[in-house]
Amino acid sequence: MVNKILVINPGSTSTKVAVFDDEEIIKNKTLAHSHKKLKNFNRINDQYKYRKDQVLESLEEMNIALSELNAVVARGGLLKPLKGGTYEINDLMYNHLMKGVEGEHASNLGGLIARELSDELFIPGYIVDPVVVDEMEQVAKVSGFVEVDRKSIFHALNQKAVARKVSGELGKNYNEAKIIVSHLGGGISVGVHKYGKVVDVNNALDGDGPFSPERCGSLPWGDLLKNLKENNKNYEEAKKDLIGNGGLASYLGTTDARKVEELIENNDDKAKLIFEAMAYQVAKEIGACSVVVDGEVDALVLTGGLSNSERLVNLIKKKVNFIAPVYVFPGEFEMQALALGALRVLRNEEKPKKYMPG
């Protein structure tokens, strides 16, 4: 029997929709949501009915009958920390996403829409590997300041998808491999995958690690505090500067790596330096991560949108290929990863996890 799976992946201004027959994608569409339309909603979570209607319209346009669907799966949102895997969208998860107990994000809408469709169609509804997957070892959470712990917030869905893919190429099960995955996008996360768990990773949202096109990464905190005081910046102003306008944006006024490479081609020495510094910091983070598994690394993986840049990939590989073979998977594999997460449960290869935060 073929399992027909609906996959929903909401972003800030778009919603990706796809239908899979088992592992094979048969229909897909990206729904654009104009700023003019979205500004009518006071909260991100207020958008869920509008986006749900858009998803249903897209299925009709793709000639997909709702009665054909065997399951619906969505990108998970900001929830309480949880282990990796495929989760049933239970009442508690739905309520937490609706209330935004850990914050509001467009990905929250996926779980809300999937739960409502699963109830209406009497089919299972799941999320897979949300950004709050927390499998970090306790020693990795110690920050050096008792009032602040290091947190696990990263590109869990895509990282685990490519780690599974590379494990297969190595002839291993994901639960047998030691792999370091670097997701290179608007944010950058470098995770240590040890026997099926991400035991250490930088906080790619608002924490440490390499700087990225729009985020500052780790900073010298003494000079940072001095800068904030001298410029009389409040929390929201500082957060916008450090997360939305950090990294490439801070130095070069753009988050588009392609434009930075154009500047380099036109002999812009500053652009060349900053681009090389970003690669340097990624490579340095990979090197630091290798000690987590005592240097016993089966493979290194570069993925995410920035890994389409041959220049960036080569700069990183030059510094880290002594550690382990480097695999490159440009772009993201979120839709496939969501479908496969649901499929493993439907095939009884895994049991669905229950959202029951402590």
Side-chain angles (χ1 to χ4, degrees):
M1 171 186 166
V2 173
N3 294 285
K4 195 173 289 292
I5 303 167
L6 170 62
V7 179
I8 304 169
N9 187 354
S12 57
T13 58
S14 66
T15 303
K16 295 178 182 177
V17 181
V19 178
F20 284 74
D21 278 354
D22 288 339
E23 298 94 342
E24 182 182 356
I25 187 168
I26 58 170
K27 299 279 185 178
N28 69 92
K29 193 166 188 177
T30 298
L31 312 176
H33 311 301
S34 69
H35 175 70
K36 181 179 179 181
K37 180 66 178 180
L38 296 183
K39 75 176 184 179
N40 293 324
F41 301 99
N42 293 325
R43 301 169 58 222
I44 292 176
N45 283 359
D46 292 338
Q47 300 174 20
Y48 88 92
K49 188 178 185 307
Y50 157 71
R51 296 224 197 186
K52 176 186 172 185
D53 290 341
Q54 294 284 296
V55 169
L56 291 172
E57 287 179 18
S58 71
L59 291 175
E60 187 174 346
E61 292 169 0
M62 292 187 289
N63 295 315
I64 300 294
L66 297 178
S67 59
E68 299 175 6
L69 300 175
N70 300 107
V72 54
V73 60
R75 183 183 175 200
L78 296 178
L79 294 159
K80 299 290 184 181
L82 43 73
K83 302 301 181 186
T86 300
Y87 284 79
E88 295 176 331
I89 307 173
N90 58 17
D91 291 342
L92 182 60
M93 181 187 293
Y94 180 86
N95 290 334
H96 278 189
L97 290 173
M98 183 63 79
K99 293 176 182 176
V101 294
E102 292 298 306
E104 292 197 17
H105 188 273
S107 59
N108 290 18
L109 301 170
L112 297 174
I113 297 169
R115 171 57 188 268
E116 293 202 355
L117 289 178
S118 72
D119 284 349
E120 292 167 8
L121 301 174
F122 302 102
I123 58 176
Y126 306 114
I127 66 165
V128 181
D129 291 331
V131 295
V132 293
V133 164
D134 182 358
E135 300 166 336
M136 287 174 66
E137 295 176 341
Q138 286 302 115
V139 69
K141 293 186 177 183
V142 179
S143 70
F145 181 52
V146 70
E147 296 182 23
V148 177
D149 288 334
R150 292 186 64 231
K151 293 181 180 178
S152 178
I153 301 178
F154 70 111
H155 307 87
L157 183 62
N158 192 51
Q159 280 219 20
K160 281 182 171 281
V162 295
R164 285 189 175 95
K165 190 184 293 281
V166 170
S167 297
E169 294 195 14
L170 293 171
K172 293 189 174 187
N173 186 285
Y174 176 51
N175 296 326
E176 301 171 332
K178 296 178 182 178
I179 298 172
I180 298 173
V181 180
S182 302
H183 179 106
L184 312 176
I188 291 176
S189 62
V190 183
V192 183
H193 297 243
K194 178 183 176 182
Y195 303 148
K197 294 181 179 180
V198 183
V199 297
D200 199 353
V201 66
N202 64 294
N203 181 340
L205 178 63
D206 56 1
D208 46 11
F211 74 80
S212 73
E214 60 186 38
R215 295 168 193 166
C216 64
S218 301
L219 291 175
W221 60 264
D223 288 335
L224 173 61
L225 293 176
K226 182 180 178 181
N227 177 272
L228 296 178
K229 182 178 179 180
E230 289 177 349
N231 290 284
N232 195 30
K233 290 182 179 178
N234 62 32
Y235 173 80
E236 291 301 330
E237 291 171 331
K239 185 175 181 180
K240 184 177 181 180
D241 281 346
L242 299 176
I243 298 177
N245 299 318
L248 295 184
S250 176
Y251 287 100
L252 302 172
T254 181
T255 60
D256 190 337
R258 293 167 299 185
K259 291 183 178 179
V260 176
E261 293 199 73
E262 287 178 11
L263 292 173
I264 295 172
E265 292 297 327
N266 290 319
N267 300 314
D268 187 314
D269 290 337
K270 181 180 179 181
K272 182 173 183 291
L273 172 64
I274 301 307
F275 200 74
E276 288 180 354
M278 185 168 67
Y280 174 93
Q281 289 196 7
V282 172
K284 188 176 177 182
E285 188 77 9
I286 293 170
C289 283
S290 70
V291 308
V292 174
V293 288
D294 304 322
E296 297 175 358
V297 184
D298 294 314
L300 306 176
V301 185
L302 304 179
T303 186
L306 286 179
S307 58
N308 284 295
S309 167
E310 186 176 349
R311 181 190 299 271
L312 185 68
V313 166
N314 287 338
L315 286 169
I316 296 170
K317 286 174 69 174
K318 182 180 179 182
K319 290 187 175 296
V320 302
N321 59 15
F322 74 95
I323 299 172
V326 181
Y327 294 76
V328 183
F329 291 94
E332 298 178 353
F333 302 86
E334 292 182 340
M335 303 303 277
Q336 296 93 327
L338 289 168
L340 290 173
L343 190 59
R344 287 192 293 272
V345 170
L346 294 173
R347 288 175 169 172
N348 295 315
E349 296 171 2
E350 292 180 12
K351 290 185 177 180
K353 292 182 169 64
K354 294 187 183 297
Y355 179 66
M356 299 175 63

